[in-house]
C-alpha cells in the first residue's frame, strides 16, 4: 500500500498494563519530519482508482456509535478505509470554541465512532484556534483535504490555519497547523499541540500502559475502544501529553515564540486502527513511517485439538523474551483473528475470550516482512465456544466521563 506521507520510524512500545516492563520494537528516526512529502512538488500526480472524498454530510450519512455527534452540514473526509467528520462552522462541540475540528472518526466499513473530539491546544486550556472559514477539495493524486482558517482565541494578531489531508489508501489523517503573527511585536504561546477527548475509549501510552493519568511521553498516544482504536503521533515519532480521566492535552512544542511577521507550524498524524487493539495501531504507524509488516493469522483449538471460536478473542503478543508488548483482537470485518505486525520474533498466547478464562500457553512465531505467518493456540476452557456453536458475548459496561480541568 503506497503511503502519501512519512512519519518517523516510531519507537513503538506497547504493553498490557501500566506496571509492565516495555520493550521497544522500532527505533525513532529523528530526521523523519524532513521526509513529509504530502504536497511536495517532486511527487508525480497519479489518479488512483478510488480517490479520497470530501463533501458536506447529508441526513442519513451520520456515523454510529456511542459518541457520534456529526450532523447534516458537517464535513466528511473519507476513503475506502476510514471516515472522519469535521464539524461545520457556526457550531462548536464540547470544549471547542468553534467548528472546524475532528468530532467523529471510524473505520469506513464498520462506521462506529468512539472518539470524543480533537482540536488545537496552545499550551494552556482553553487556548486554541477559532475558525471562521473552511475550504475543501481533492488533489490530482486523489488526496482529499479540508482547510480551516481563523484566529487564536485570545490573540487577535495570530492567524491559524489547520489543514486535514487524507490520501486515497491511508488509515491516517495528516494534520498541519500554522500560526502566523500578523502583529507588530513578539507573541509567545505556552505551547502547541492538541486537546483530545477520548470518548468511549481507554487511553494508552507506551510508557504508561492503559488507563493512566498524568504525564506521558512515548512514540504515540492512543485510545482503545470496543469497535476500533485511535492513535496520534508527531512526524518526529514522539508524543508528549498530560492526561486526565478521559482527556489528553498533547504538547509538541513548549513556550513557542512567534516574532512579528513570522509563522510556526506543527504537524501530526491521527490514525484510525483496524481493530480494538494496539497491534493494529503499531502496524499502521509502521507502514506510515515507510516500514514493512507481515501478517499473522491465529487459529484456536481446545485440548482435544478441535477448532473453537470466540467473538471477543484477544491474543497477547510478547517479545522473544516473554515481555507483553501489545495485543491482537478479532477483526470484525473479516471475522478472523488476524492482523499485521512489524517483522520480528514473537510469542503469542490466548489472552481472553467470551468467558474471560485463563491465559493460554505462549507459542513462538516469526513474522517476516510481506509474508504471512500462521499459528495455532490453545484456548483454555471457560474462554471459548466450539466452532459452529452459538457464541456468547459478555457485556463490558463503560461510561462516558466529562473532561474535567
Amino acid at each position: 500500500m503506497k503511503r502519501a506521507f512519512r512519519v518517523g520510524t516510531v519507537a513503538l512500545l506497547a504493553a498490557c498494563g501500566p506496571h509492565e516492563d516495555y520493550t521497544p520494537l522500532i527505533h525513532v528516526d529523528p530526521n523523519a519530519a524532513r521526509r513529509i512529502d504530502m504536497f511536495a512538488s517532486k511527487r508525480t500526480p497519479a489518479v488512483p482508482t478510488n480517490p479520497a472524498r470530501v463533501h458536506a454530510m447529508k441526513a442519513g450519512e451520520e456515523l454510529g456509535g456511542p459518541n457520534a455527534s456529526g450532523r447534516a452540514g458537517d464535513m466528511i473526509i473519507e476513503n475506502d478505509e476510514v471516515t472522519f467528520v469535521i464539524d461545520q462552522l457556526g457550531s462548536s462541540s464540547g470544549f471547542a470554541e468553534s467548528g472546524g475540528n475532528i468530532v467523529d472518526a471510524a473505520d469506513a466499513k464498520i462506521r462506529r465512532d468512539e472518539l470524543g473530539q480533537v482540536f488545537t491546544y496552545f499550551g494552556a486550556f482553553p487556548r486554541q484556534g477559532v475558525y471562521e472559514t473552511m475550504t475543501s477539495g481533492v488533489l490530482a493524486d486523489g488526496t482529499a483535504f479540508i482547510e480551516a482558517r481563523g484566529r487564536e482565541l485570545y490573540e487577535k494578531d495570530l492567524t491559524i490555519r489547520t489543514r486535514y489531508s487524507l490520501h486515497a489508501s491511508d488509515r491516517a489523517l495528516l494534520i498541519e497547523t500554522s500560526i502566523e503573527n500578523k502583529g507588530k511585536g513578539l507573541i509567545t504561546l505556552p505551547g502547541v499541540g492538541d486537546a483530545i477527548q477520548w470518548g468511549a475509549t481507554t487511553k494508552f501510552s507506551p510508557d504508561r500502559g492503559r488507563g493512566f493519568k498524568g504525564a506521558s511521553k512515548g512514540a504515540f498516544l492512543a485510545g482503545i475502544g470496543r469497535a476500533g482504536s485511535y492513535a496520534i503521533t508527531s512526524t518526529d515519532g514522539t508524543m508528549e501529553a498530560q492526561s486526565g480521566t478521559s482527556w489528553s492535552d498533547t504538547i509538541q512544542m513548549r513556550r513557542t515564540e512567534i516574532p512579528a511577521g513570522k509563522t510556526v507550524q506543527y504537524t501530526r498524524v491521527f490514525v484510525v486502527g483496524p481493530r480494538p487493539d494496539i497491534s493494529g495501531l503499531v502496524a499502521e504507524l509502521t507502514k506510515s513511517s515507510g516500514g514493512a509488516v507481515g501478517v499473522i493469522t491465529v487459529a484456536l483449538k481446545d485440548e482435544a485439538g478441535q477448532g473453537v471460536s470466540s467473538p471477543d478473542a484477544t491474543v497477547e503478543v510478547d517479545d522473544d523474551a516473554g515481555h507483553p508488548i501489545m495485543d491482537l483482537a478479532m477483526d470484525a470485518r473479516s471475522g478472523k483473528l488476524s492482523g499485521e505486525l512489524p517483522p520480528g520474533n514473537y510469542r503469542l498466547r490466548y489472552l481472553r475470550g467470551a468467558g474471560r478464562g485463563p491465559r493460554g500457553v505462549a507459542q513462538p512465531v516469526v513474522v517476516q516482512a510481506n509474508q504471512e505467518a500462521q499459528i495455532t493456540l490453545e484456548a483454555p476452557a471457560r474462554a471459548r465456544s466450539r466452532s459452529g456453536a452459538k457464541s456468547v458475548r459478555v457485556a463490558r459496561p463503560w461510561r462516558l466521563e466529562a473532561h474535567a480541568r
Side-chain angles (χ1 to χ4, degrees):
M1 182 182 293
K2 184 177 179 181
R3 296 280 148 173
F5 54 87
R6 294 291 181 264
V7 183
T9 306
V10 289
L12 299 172
L13 314 174
C16 297
H19 304 298
E20 300 283 353
D21 294 326
Y22 307 103
T23 304
L25 295 178
I26 303 171
H27 295 291
V28 172
D29 179 353
N31 297 316
R34 301 176 187 175
R35 297 204 305 270
I36 293 182
D37 60 359
M38 174 66 84
F39 305 108
S41 58
K42 64 182 181 181
R43 290 185 59 202
T44 302
V47 180
T49 304
N50 295 306
R53 305 171 293 277
V54 59
H55 65 277
M57 179 185 290
K58 299 177 183 178
E61 292 185 319
E62 298 87 352
L63 297 180
N67 281 75
S69 59
R71 55 193 175 90
D74 291 344
M75 296 299 294
I76 293 178
I77 182 168
E78 63 182 349
N79 57 24
D80 291 345
E81 300 292 328
V82 290
T83 299
F84 296 88
V85 178
I86 311 297
D87 57 348
Q88 60 195 285
L89 298 177
S91 66
S92 62
S93 177
F95 289 88
E97 297 287 337
S98 73
N101 301 295
I102 301 173
V103 292
D104 294 335
D107 179 273
K109 298 178 180 62
I110 298 175
R111 297 184 65 81
R112 181 178 174 85
D113 169 70
E114 297 176 283
L115 181 70
Q117 63 179 153
V118 181
F119 57 94
T120 53
Y121 166 74
F122 297 147
F125 193 79
R127 300 196 69 165
Q128 60 186 274
V130 179
Y131 301 114
E132 299 161 340
T133 65
M134 276 202 300
T135 57
S136 62
V138 179
L139 304 181
D141 67 352
T143 299
F145 72 89
I146 296 174
E147 187 169 287
R149 291 177 177 264
R151 56 178 176 78
E152 202 272 332
L153 180 62
Y154 294 148
E155 290 283 356
K156 62 180 179 61
D157 289 330
L158 290 182
T159 61
I160 311 299
R161 178 183 66 85
T162 295
R163 188 179 181 103
Y164 307 97
S165 302
L166 182 65
H167 188 63
S169 58
D170 281 328
R171 295 190 66 91
L173 192 69
L174 183 69
I175 309 173
E176 301 169 285
T177 296
S178 63
I179 308 168
E180 182 181 2
N181 182 356
K182 290 192 172 181
K184 297 181 179 180
L186 176 72
I187 298 178
T188 301
L189 291 175
V192 298
D194 293 283
I196 305 172
Q197 304 267 8
W198 289 111
T201 70
T202 300
K203 294 187 308 298
F204 173 87
S205 178
D207 65 326
R208 297 295 306 276
R210 293 179 186 257
F212 70 95
K213 292 183 182 180
S216 64
K217 185 177 182 180
F220 61 93
L221 186 65
I224 312 299
R226 296 185 62 187
S229 54
Y230 308 97
I232 187 169
T233 189
S234 73
T235 52
D236 287 323
T238 185
M239 185 55 64
E240 184 176 352
Q242 186 72 31
S243 297
T245 302
S246 58
W247 56 268
S248 296
D249 292 334
T250 70
I251 293 291
Q252 290 187 226
M253 292 185 290
R254 296 187 179 276
R255 187 176 170 77
T256 303
E257 295 184 347
I258 311 174
K262 299 298 182 180
T263 300
V264 300
Q265 179 173 303
Y266 65 105
T267 306
R268 54 277 194 214
V269 175
F270 193 81
V271 176
V272 175
R275 299 178 305 279
D277 61 19
I278 298 167
S279 62
L281 296 171
V282 169
E284 289 304 317
L285 291 168
T286 300
K287 291 187 291 186
S288 294
S289 67
V293 296
V295 175
I296 180 72
T297 298
V298 181
L300 302 177
K301 67 176 183 179
D302 60 16
E303 294 90 339
Q306 298 297 312
V308 298
S309 71
S310 176
D312 292 334
T314 301
V315 169
E316 177 183 288
V317 182
D318 300 348
D319 65 13
D320 199 33
H323 300 118
I325 52 177
M326 66 183 96
D327 59 351
L328 171 67
M330 187 72 74
D331 190 323
R333 297 166 300 173
S334 67
K336 297 181 179 180
L337 196 51
S338 180
E340 295 172 319
L341 294 176
N345 298 326
Y346 300 95
R347 292 179 179 273
L348 273 62
R349 72 173 76 229
Y350 186 87
L351 183 61
R352 64 179 181 268
R356 298 298 182 268
R359 299 193 306 175
V361 177
Q363 299 290 337
V365 64
V366 178
V367 175
Q368 300 183 46
N370 305 313
Q371 296 187 30
E372 181 180 3
Q374 298 182 348
I375 187 173
T376 299
L377 300 179
E378 182 178 314
R382 297 195 302 112
R384 60 172 187 252
S385 60
R386 286 193 178 275
S387 181
K390 184 177 180 180
S391 299
V392 178
R393 289 184 179 272
V394 176
R396 286 182 287 177
W398 45 262
R399 58 194 178 95
L400 301 180
E401 299 189 52
H403 185 139
R405 296 280 180 170

